[in-house]
Amino acid sequence: MKQRNRLLGTAVLAAAFGLSGVLPAAAQSIVRTSLNADIRGTNPGVTRDGNTDQIHGHIVEGLVTYGSDFSIIPMLAESFDISEDGKTYTFHLRKGVKFHNGQEMTAKEVAWSWERLAGPQSESHCVNYFNGKNNIKVTSAKATDDYTFVIELDRPYAVFLAIMARFDCGSIAVLHPDSVNADGSWNTPIATGPYMMGKHMSGRYVEVNKFADYVPRDEPINGYGGGKNPTVDKIRWDIVSEAAVRSTALKAGDLDLVSIDAPTAAELKEAAGFKVDATDSAVWDTYLLNSREAPLDDRRVRQAMAHAIDPQQIVGAITEGFGTASPSPVPPMSANYTEVQAKYPEYDPEKAKALLEEAGYDGAEIKILATRRSGAYYERALMAQAMMSEVGLNTKLEVVEWGTQLDAYRKGTGYGMQSFTFSPRLHAGLSFEMFTGAADRKAWKNPEAIELMGTLLATGDPKLRQEIVDKLHMMFIEEVPAIGLGHRTLFVGMSDKVSGFENWGAGLLRGWMLRVDG
């Protein structure tokens, strides 16, 4: 994995703007960090967004997870076997793993959890990856003894384990049935992770508390797996929407570690008492286009938008020169990223004007949605708007709350263009799947692209996989269902008292590695 790490990095971690009151006699160790918006809920894989996944990732675990090189490794499974025909997955569970209520995890709870997230009554947006509506169909999922869980598919599917490990699917978390109330309604996550759900004051902060009886794996930490040994008693994320407020709190000592922007990273790099980490990630910043509504239903208008926008200029501006434009949804650290994925409609305002004239564009307004949350959503929308206005495109930038923007995204309506970001997809097929398909939220609905994507997700043949990735990319830059900007360089600023922080391309904090000295 190509990763730049010059002591500048990512994580959404920060916390209490000063602890008030008297600490107990045995003072708790705490890491204080932040989120730019509140979590959407505590139900893993059901109520989620990127911020929520950060919290859930400290609380829940699945049978498998992603390693540092984005390979799939066992987590709650001691090991797993795949049948020769590729249709049967047998998970051999670790023994002695404890839930947060002290009870031991067995295959019975795994089966209950599977039904909750992947069964026919599931409320998870990932359920369609298992019921046949989105290529994969699970025909059986059951415990065969106390420590064995077996899943059978109707046909081989190469990325099945990668789907199970997805953070936005809650990693198909194994939970204890006491996580729900007697009537089946959600209560709180009782899981197996190194931390337990703590206090959540809506709009103010979220806390997780160390699980004293956590049972780690024996191996070293590996990506989101390996031997997690929680090192502090509590992690607290304050909800701080403004980047300037977060950086001020860090400098004042009220926060230990925060996600920062490029200018702040450049400043802190030279400041005494602080460290900075910058790491290339698989987080994809993009402009989603709504090709179902005029005037963007004309491909020539979308192509004109792509030729009007200079991704490298925008990326350079928002990262203070740290970042590089990456038009493909496939991240540069992927084995499937080649010179083909670097191809993109060149920045050519004159060509953009010619395409608009050819399309008979009459100045119809294009609404751009953006939010002011950190991640430069607003700034990159503003720069794109200025570039498009230069070629005669009539755009209106509308700044909304992140929840409002997500609703528009899910419904696939109410916008012409969105300044948007997709959380990491660590397989090339999933990189295309995140915006390709028949669902309302999917920007690319081309039937040929959908069919190719299905083949890409199913094949285990590396040569065929690369051929399809290349073909999809060339179709993508021709049809322009979205305008790729780049894979985000993530910056984290921290006190020099913080140790143990290591970033990785998945862009998720690993709070169980952190310590704060003094």
Side-chain angles (χ1 to χ4, degrees), residues 108-294:
K108 178 181 177 182
E109 289 79 31
V110 175
W112 180 86
S113 299
W114 177 269
E115 185 69 13
R116 189 188 78 89
L117 279 178
Q121 304 304 314
S122 172
E123 297 177 343
S124 169
H125 82 99
C126 290
V127 66
N128 287 343
Y129 295 114
F130 306 108
N131 61 13
K133 293 183 179 180
N134 202 352
N135 301 305
I136 306 173
K137 185 174 182 179
V138 173
T139 58
S140 174
K142 60 186 178 181
T144 57
D145 62 39
D146 285 349
Y147 297 101
T148 308
F149 186 67
V150 179
I151 297 175
E152 295 184 0
L153 310 182
D154 68 339
R155 59 190 175 94
Y157 209 72
V159 296
F160 177 66
L161 293 177
I163 295 286
M164 287 184 62
R166 280 174 54 165
F167 309 124
D168 62 317
C169 296
S171 302
I172 309 298
V174 177
L175 299 171
H176 191 276
D178 286 352
S179 299
V180 302
N181 298 310
D183 63 359
S185 61
W186 180 252
N187 183 14
T188 192
I190 299 174
T192 61
Y195 286 89
M196 304 180 293
M197 188 66 200
K199 291 182 180 179
H200 175 208
M201 295 294 289
S202 182
R204 294 180 56 197
Y205 64 83
V206 186
E207 294 180 341
V208 295
N209 301 317
K210 179 179 177 180
F211 177 35
D213 293 327
Y214 179 68
V215 181
R217 296 185 65 93
D218 293 332
E219 313 96 292
I221 290 174
N222 182 4
Y224 231 48
K228 307 175 194 175
N229 287 285
T231 50
V232 294
D233 297 315
K234 186 188 297 287
I235 305 173
R236 173 165 163 160
W237 289 261
D238 274 325
I239 313 303
V240 189
S241 60
E242 297 294 332
V245 177
R246 287 197 299 275
S247 61
T248 298
L250 174 66
K251 295 170 187 175
D254 294 324
L255 296 175
D256 300 310
L257 179 152
V258 298
S259 175
I260 57 177
D261 56 20
T264 305
E267 175 190 350
L268 285 180
K269 195 166 98 167
E270 306 301 327
F274 299 97
K275 299 184 288 187
V276 180
D277 180 89
T279 301
D280 292 335
S281 78
V283 176
W284 192 43
D285 291 327
T286 187
Y287 302 108
L288 281 183
L289 305 183
N290 188 348
S291 58
R292 289 183 292 176
E293 299 179 7

Side-chain angles (χ1 to χ4, degrees), residues 16 38 83 149 229 233 270 337-338 456 494:
D38 204 352
S83 63
F149 186 67
N229 287 285
D233 297 315
E270 306 301 327
Y337 190 96
T338 70
L456 176 59
M494 66 198 85

